[in-house]
Amino acid sequence: MSSEARPAPAHHRFWPKRLPHQITPPATSLWHNLAVNALRYPHKPALVFFGRVLSYAEVHDQAERLAAFLAQCGVGKGDRVLLLMQNCPQLVIAHFAILRANAVVVPVNPMNRAEELQHYITDPDAKVALTTGDLAAELARSNGGLPAAERLRHMVVTQFTDAFDAAVSGPGAPPPAWRDWLLTRHPLPALAGGEVHAWTAAVACTAPVPKLTTGPDDLALLPYTSGTTGLPKGCMHPHSGVMHNAVAASLWVGGNAQNVMLSVVPMFHITGMVSGMHTSIYGGTTLVIMPRWDRDLAGWLISHWRVTHWTNIPTMVIDLLASPRFAEYDLSSLLYIGGGGAAMPQAVAQRLFEQYGLRYSEGYGLTETAAPSHSNPPDGTKQQCLGIPFVSTEARIIDPDTLLELPQGAQGEIIVCGPQVFRGYWKRPEATAQVFIDFDGKTFFRTGDLGHVDEDGYFFLTDRLKRMINASGFKVWPAEVEALMFRHPAIQEACVIATPDAYRGQSVKAVVVKRAGFEATTEADIVAWCHAHMAVYKAPRVVQFATALPKSGSGKVMWRQLQEAEAPVPPP
């Protein structure tokens, strides 16, 4: 069917009446969003972190100074700069400083260990990294294990005390364990073959800022996503694609400069980065930052700062509502609440609506689509639903074998076309070619996810073509975990599958065949080793020993057989 002959999509009946179906985003770099709002609202709070408030002018000034320092470290146009931090004001400043230096942000999950971090240094050819004191030693250890030519040359290290007001007390102060963590100043490690710089010195740089030469078509982000095989792949996102989703998301949720956003979804992740940070900076919003989840701190922050918008994963909402102190919190300021990564239980969504008049708006997107490709209209939500194709976005359901479009209600693969779709995988032309198809006269991205469309044009996720485990919104790729586990001397074979988890939805399970001579190795031994060698969310929580793994006639491990033998696992 030609695009001219295609009727108006069914979901247009439920489209927010105040919004166009397509937008023309600004033809500027993402840096421009911060620069403009620093002029518009110089004294308005931009970032809030445990009692410390940074204005838009202050964030802009620190980012420019840091950009000048990065230029002194040799960072030039198009260079990839590694950003390894938990949520904190310095992450936002560093992110925009990299963009101001005409470079590309490589966001990395702070849960990664040294063996994993090496790939994020070598694959993008990064020579400069910005990190926090608690992560610097692990990054330095990773760097030391690389050949001299592939190592980082500079590492800028910030302490939480650089942005944390130690004098803050009362209900807004962090719990004692958090306070100790925030106040700890970690010694700067040595960097093999390179230099380590203190954040305070970097943001005090007085050198001239390099001329801004990046535009909408230049590369802005290189976030990594794992796949069914091999090492994580970098997703190439230009300024224009991220700009589109930042502007569209702001419009979608009624964004304006009076909004206050609670930022607890990690900003290294595409959702927290685009739907949280970039959407907020574009709109002049105040961003209240939490470095990691704490239900009672979240409740207090929403109440005290009169948070209006909260993007999250459903497990956070479930946890907050279950707090014994929940009655102390005032959520009446919330105008929008939504998220993705897992389905929101119907009972919890119903409670939010009955108690606060809030409709939880679920959305869907991948690292390849710069967060949302689908979202529920805030005033027309359906529960357990991905939503409708986002602003300027088209989506179809096709037969994954014939690549022909399927009728309404039939299950097939979700494909997406829109300005936010990435340009391809960094250094992986073959992998790129595999995920794009020509359809209806346009180029569509194959998500690898199975779903169907109802009579109203709303999309529902039913299964996955890819081997992926979704643990509380964190995507775990079994092939990557297996590759790391094979380094354990006792493991002859390993197959990683999903196992049900009452709280997380899914957890990681490994079925392991032990090598001869290692019969005494226990489940606890392997679990502990995994925690020491990979991000905690990837590490198997359950290890089952077997004498052999089921294999096909060609010798391939039949992981699906093991998965189907496991107790029923809820859909990701």
Side-chain angles (χ1 to χ4, degrees):
M1 181 182 293
S2 69
S3 57
E4 289 77 19
R6 182 177 291 276
H11 69 263
H12 279 190
R13 303 197 310 272
F14 306 94
W15 195 263
K17 297 191 186 314
R18 67 188 183 278
L19 296 182
H21 297 294
Q22 297 185 356
I23 62 169
T24 303
T28 57
S29 78
L30 294 163
W31 166 260
H32 192 73
N33 296 338
L34 175 60
V36 165
N37 282 326
L39 291 172
R40 286 175 170 170
Y41 316 112
H43 308 300
K44 183 181 185 293
L47 309 177
V48 175
F49 189 69
F50 293 121
R52 177 71 64 83
V53 177
L54 286 173
S55 69
Y56 267 92
E58 289 173 316
V59 173
H60 176 271
D61 179 64
Q62 289 192 32
E64 281 211 321
R65 289 174 180 271
L66 182 55
F69 184 82
L70 292 176
Q72 287 190 326
C73 292
V75 173
K77 185 168 184 177
D79 288 341
R80 280 73 56 202
V81 179
L82 194 150
L83 180 54
L84 178 70
M85 295 186 189
Q86 296 194 64
N87 284 7
C88 59
Q90 298 96 310
L91 185 153
V92 180
I93 293 166
H95 186 104
F96 278 89
I98 295 168
L99 299 178
R100 180 63 184 84
N102 301 302
V104 180
V105 180
V106 182
V108 179
N109 188 334
M111 294 183 182
N112 281 307
R113 306 305 297 263
E115 290 89 341
E116 300 163 299
L117 289 171
Q118 289 181 341
H119 179 66
Y120 298 99
I121 298 172
T122 60
D123 192 67
D125 306 307
K127 300 303 178 188
V128 177
L130 299 104
T131 189
T132 47
D134 59 322
L135 304 173
E138 193 77 5
L139 183 57
R141 185 163 73 88
S142 173
N143 197 59
L146 293 173
E150 299 179 15
R151 292 173 177 167
L152 294 169
R153 298 288 181 263
H154 296 273
M155 185 167 69
V156 179
V157 181
T158 183
Q159 311 287 346
F160 285 109
T161 48
D162 296 335
F164 167 54
D165 186 352
V168 69
S169 60
W178 273 54
R179 190 179 185 86
D180 293 343
W181 175 62
L182 288 164
L183 289 175
T184 300
R185 293 190 66 86
H186 300 267
L188 300 182
L191 184 69
E195 299 179 62
V196 178
H197 314 275
W199 173 272
T200 48
V203 295
C205 180
T206 58
V209 185
K211 182 181 179 181
L212 184 65
T213 59
T214 49
D217 294 329
D218 289 310
L219 198 60
L221 306 179
L222 192 65
Y224 275 73
T225 182
S226 298
T228 53
T229 59
L231 293 166
K233 302 184 292 293
C235 297
M236 297 186 289
H237 283 286
H239 287 259
S240 59
V242 180
M243 178 73 82
H244 174 275
N245 267 12
V247 176
S250 181
L251 292 170
W252 194 256
V253 302
N256 62 64
Q258 305 313 310
N259 289 346
V260 180
M261 166 78 81
L262 181 64
S263 175
V264 65
V265 175
M267 287 186 280
F268 72 79
H269 187 277
I270 198 70
T271 298
M273 185 193 316
V274 178
S275 297
M277 176 176 62
H278 276 292
T279 297
S280 296
I281 295 299
Y282 167 78
T285 292
T286 296
L287 208 57
V288 179
I289 299 174
M290 292 179 64
R292 57 190 185 199
W293 175 246
D294 181 294
R295 64 186 183 185
D296 291 310
L297 181 61
W300 186 88
L301 289 171
I302 293 170
S303 306
H304 179 76
W305 288 100
R306 307 297 294 161
V307 168
T308 60
H309 290 64
W310 181 22
T311 298
N312 52 55
I313 57 175
T315 50
M316 294 177 179
V317 181
I318 296 167
D319 196 32
L320 176 59
L321 295 178
S323 170
R325 298 176 54 188
F326 182 70
E328 301 174 21
Y329 308 129
D330 179 6
L331 306 190
S332 62
S333 60
L334 283 172
L335 302 175
Y336 170 86
I337 182 170
M344 170 61 80
Q346 185 172 352
V348 178
Q350 192 64 28
R351 182 180 172 187
L352 281 173
F353 181 70
E354 291 175 353
Q355 234 176 303
Y356 299 101
L358 292 169
R359 299 182 185 274
Y360 190 88
S361 182
E362 295 184 43
Y364 166 80
L366 303 171
T367 305
E368 289 91 340
T369 64
S373 64
H374 295 68
S375 187
N376 274 270
D379 299 326
T381 61
K382 290 192 179 188
Q383 295 177 6
Q384 313 282 311
C385 174
L386 303 181
I388 61 178
F390 201 45
V391 180
S392 309
T393 304
E394 297 181 49
R396 308 275 193 274
I397 299 291
I398 64 168
D399 184 307
D401 296 320
T402 67
L403 304 183
L404 296 176
E405 187 168 6
L406 295 173
Q408 174 230 310
Q411 176 177 283
E413 184 178 2
I414 302 170
I415 60 172
V416 175
C417 174
Q420 76 276 56
V421 174
F422 78 140
R423 287 183 173 172
Y425 296 114
W426 177 258
K427 296 181 180 177
R428 304 289 195 280
E430 294 179 359
T432 299
Q434 291 173 359
V435 296
F436 285 109
I437 60 170
D438 291 329
F439 185 88
D440 217 11
K442 301 176 183 178
T443 300
F444 277 75
F445 166 65
R446 299 186 65 175
T447 66
D449 289 336
L450 294 177
H452 68 272
V453 180
D454 69 7
E455 66 278 5
D456 296 325
Y458 283 68
F459 282 65
F460 292 79
L461 185 69
T462 52
D463 201 351
R464 295 188 182 270
L465 291 177
K466 301 173 182 176
R467 276 182 74 195
M468 193 197 77
I469 302 168
N470 193 325
S472 290
F474 285 105
K475 293 177 174 59
V476 180
W477 298 96
E480 183 186 2
V481 178
E482 290 164 359
L484 290 166
M485 291 186 71
F486 283 131
R487 299 179 185 179
H488 191 294
I491 295 177
Q492 177 176 309
E493 291 184 292
C495 182
V496 171
I497 59 174
T499 190
D501 187 299
Y503 176 69
R504 305 169 86 216
Q506 298 179 349
S507 279
V508 181
K509 176 179 177 177
V511 182
V512 169
V513 177
K514 289 187 275 190
R515 292 184 185 278
F518 289 88
E519 289 79 8
T521 301
T522 66
E523 176 184 5
D525 293 335
I526 297 214
V527 169
W529 184 92
C530 289
H531 275 269
H533 290 82
M534 65 184 77
V536 67
Y537 71 91
K538 298 178 191 174
R541 293 193 167 202
V542 180
V543 173
Q544 175 186 326
F545 293 114
T547 55
L549 297 179
K551 293 186 175 68
S552 67
S554 63
K556 292 184 179 180
V557 174
M558 299 172 67
W559 65 268
R560 195 178 296 277
Q561 180 177 318
L562 291 172
Q563 184 64 75
E564 291 173 354
E566 188 69 8
V569 177

